[in-house]
């Protein structure tokens, strides 16, 4: 589940990142680990960018919840898993 707060003048982007447990200890913070993944310094990491735009009715509350499910791919490609939106 991802919860994002988006204002009228900005847009938040998010990614779901999976890293091997062995890589976690080499970085002091989650942010430094995420930066290393983006720079392709963490072998075996998988990144799933989440959609950056969502149409929301103007009467909707400022908080929006979008659910995803991680599942095995039926056809093998680059990664054996995929992130599927469920809501």
């Amino acid at each position: 589940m991802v919860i994002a707060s988006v204002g009228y003048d900005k847009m938040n982007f998010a990614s779901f990142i999976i890293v091997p447990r062995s890589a976690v200890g080499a970085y002091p913070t989650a942010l430094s680990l995420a930066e290393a993944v983006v720079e392709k310094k963490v072998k075996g990491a998988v990144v799933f960018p989440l959609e950056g735009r969502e149409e929301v009715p103007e009467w909707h509350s400022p908080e929006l919840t979008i659910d995803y499910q991680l599942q095995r791919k039926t056809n093998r490609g680059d990664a054996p898993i995929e992130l599927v939106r469920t809501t």
Side-chain angles (χ1 to χ4, degrees), residues 4-84:
S5 175
V6 180
Y8 292 105
D9 60 342
K10 64 179 180 176
M11 179 187 280
N12 294 330
F13 294 93
S15 292
F16 182 68
I17 301 173
I18 301 173
V19 297
R21 287 182 191 255
S22 58
V24 175
Y27 300 91
T29 65
L31 178 59
S32 62
L33 176 59
E35 290 171 345
V37 169
V38 169
E39 295 170 0
K40 301 187 187 299
K41 294 181 179 178
V42 180
K43 188 175 180 176
V46 182
V47 179
F48 296 98
L50 304 177
E51 293 180 30
R53 295 189 175 271
E54 191 67 37
E55 290 189 28
V56 180
E58 67 180 50
W59 48 262
H60 196 280
S61 72
E63 291 187 10
L64 175 67
T65 302
I66 302 171
D67 296 320
Y68 292 87
Q69 177 179 335
L70 192 62
Q71 64 186 31
R72 292 186 188 276
K73 276 188 178 177
T74 52
N75 56 348
R76 299 288 176 169
D78 293 336
I81 55 176
E82 62 187 343
L83 192 64
V84 179

